[in-house]
Amino acid sequence: MVVIYKEKTSGKEPQSIKSESNPSSEKIQPITPVKSANPKIEYTITIKTGNNRNSGTNGPVYIKIFGRDNKETDDILLTSASNEKIFQQDSIKKIPIQAIDIGKPQRIMIRHEDKTNGWFIDYVEISVHNFLIRFVANRWLDETKHDRKLSAELFGSEQPATSYDIEVQTGSEQIEPLDSPVYMQIFGTITNTPKFFLESKNASFTKDSKAKFSVSSNNVGDIQKIIIGHEGLGTVNDWYLKNVKVQTDTQQHEYTANKWLSLTKDDKKLYVELNQETPRASSPSPAAYLVTVHTAWVQPAEPIENIQLTIRGSDGSIDKVLLKDYAKSNEQQLFQKGSSDQFEIKHKDIGKIENITIGFDDNDQKSAWLLESVDIQYGEALYHFQAQCWLSSRLGQNFNWIIMRPDPSNDDINYKVIIDTGESGINSNVILCIYGNENITKNFALKTIKDGTQAKFIKDSHLEFDLKAIDVGKIKKINIGHDGKGNDQQWFLKFIKIEKQNEHYTFKINQCLGETQQNFIDLIPEELLPKKDQAIYKMTVVTSSDDDSSTDSGVFMKIYGDKDQTKRFQLTTTKENSELLFKQGQTDEFEIELNDVGDINKINIGHDGKGLRPMWHVESVQIQKGSQIFKFHADQVLDLSIQDIDLIPFVPEKSPSPKPTKSETSRSTSPEDKVNVKETMYKVSVQYGSLQQNSNDDDDNTNLYLVIVGVNGKTKRLPLPVNKKDEIEFNTTDVGKISKILLGQDKNEHEIVYHVDNIIIKQENEITTFNTEDAIKQNTELEFTPSPIRQPSITRKSSISPETSTSDVKIKGKCIKCLLLSE
């Protein structure tokens, strides 16, 4: 039977999240769509579902994308049927869609309509126009959790997420602990976070208590205000909020509330909007702050005049000012190559200067400015801010602004950084940040190497940089990545070395940073990582000899064992050109040292979808670790719809001892190598769904197949005729005790969906039942475990002993297994 699923466009508009407990959404008014004659373009949507228990959804899932100037897409359906189950717990799904061009995405509305299962979203990423925008969620869409809504509004950022340390103090006026969900939203100069919830295992908001939380969300820039409140959904809905503290790596803010968040007390609201208090200045008369901005000896790409500055002190702040309005001389053009421009800002005394923010707005991403340093003089006090970095939105959303602390002693130190690139390079902008136990550096734009020439991260390059920045103390981690703006977006980063003040740090990566993985990565020094036992893995990969089996995409693998698992690594070799690997009918060998995972119980192998042939027919894989050999049968076509596959090994065998009279090379593996296994007879009964039974698809040449997996391995693919009512006999590999089955359908010319309700497998005296109750679509493979034997209800007290076998129990002349089969 042919079943065709047609994608439907929902007739509903996303509902505005508007409630007494959600003030920020009250400001978001419905936007009238702007009709565009532009044709549709392709977006790539990546959604990460959380690892919380039961955090997946069965959909349907919709997304709506908003840009600037009132541009927005329609509601876009990301799932075509309620049983697709693509958003499973701890999964990452990449979905290409077609929609109108709205420019750079700014925010999204995402929702699902599965009222039975809640959905926890970690984040959503959108790739379009060389932008990679991340929308951090970290929340449930669930009618029983948080704000009990199935939709959320999320805001985008191109920078890595920022960690916010939040401390909330409840006043002594509180009598009973608040048990209503508490939420918060942070607003800044660049963007704002989504509405996130403050959760802990224990009661947090009790009388005269302080509760601390660490939340990862968007980098909003300079924090301007917060909104905090609760949903009013508990048994206790009166909360006396005393104060809130918010701290990041570069900012610290404290907000005083001292009020009830309640529908019966004070202003009868469940939320409050808080701005940071600014104490009165000690000096009644304004004084002059003399600001000198030094531009490096590099001409800006475009003339820049909209440089803005914010100065923060211990007793107040000078809010963002446009520097050209305070220039001491109007005769020269500002911020030119090698210039030192002076500005005079009259303002009341703000106390000791703590930090400044300087930068410019650049929506067109045309400008780039190399800032050397900033000096600020107030009275006899002189503050120096060393920058030596590029400011440009082409490096990322927030890289046209920088926050700096004064450096009165001018005691910056030198960092020697060595970066080695592997098989694939990039021409994007590379950014590095160093974190220590005492401080962190700014974001270095790695543009110029040690000898002063331009840095080129090409294939097999070795680059050295001399960087100068504040001493961060002992280096704890680094963050490195690229903005993906160049033509080549796959960067194979091998390792990084950093030297400072006779301290040496090594970071081993051997990983691709690119479009299919994250652009940025956190790395821990090898010296701080726990030492793991290493092992040599010799891998043999066989590509099918069928037509069109080869690929030029990058091939990756991850190995799982009973003790540990490896990182995801690329299969490449220095002996051969990578373009010569994975050809039709070819056997390729690799050797790599990784952490010892113990006995291998699974591998994941796949490709990155790049190149001219993003399709690969893998025949088999063999891994030798020490004296153990693990063989994996695949016979699977991997394309853009299924880019990777999990494989389970046959029983490991001992490799033969080498004979003294004859030496053997490892290049002896062929696709015909098989493990000697015992064969047995399986009798398989398949019960199809009612829709399938009413069809005329009685086809013995079906592309529906079954794989039986047991403790001793698995069978080959067993073809299943459709609607055959008799038992189907297969004489094949004896897998031992059956642990699961794989039910799948190969790709075909027609959109055929097989509805399978039940599968029963008989092997001698053993009967194993699988209640599948699922639809098997083309080019998919589903996994099922045995269903437990249901005990029939007995009206009288049973006298069956625990030791009695199920096959020996009879009710009205029939055994329990017979009753189950008759059902």
Side-chain angles (χ1 to χ4, degrees), residues 10-25:
S10 172
K12 301 178 181 179
E13 290 292 326
Q15 299 298 314
S16 297
I17 305 175
K18 181 175 180 180
S19 66
E20 183 64 33
S21 59
N22 186 12
S24 62
S25 63

Side-chain angles (χ1 to χ4, degrees), residues 65-76:
I65 309 171
F66 298 83
R68 297 184 185 274
D69 302 325
N70 294 350
K71 291 183 179 180
E72 62 184 62
T73 67
D74 294 329
D75 266 359
I76 301 166

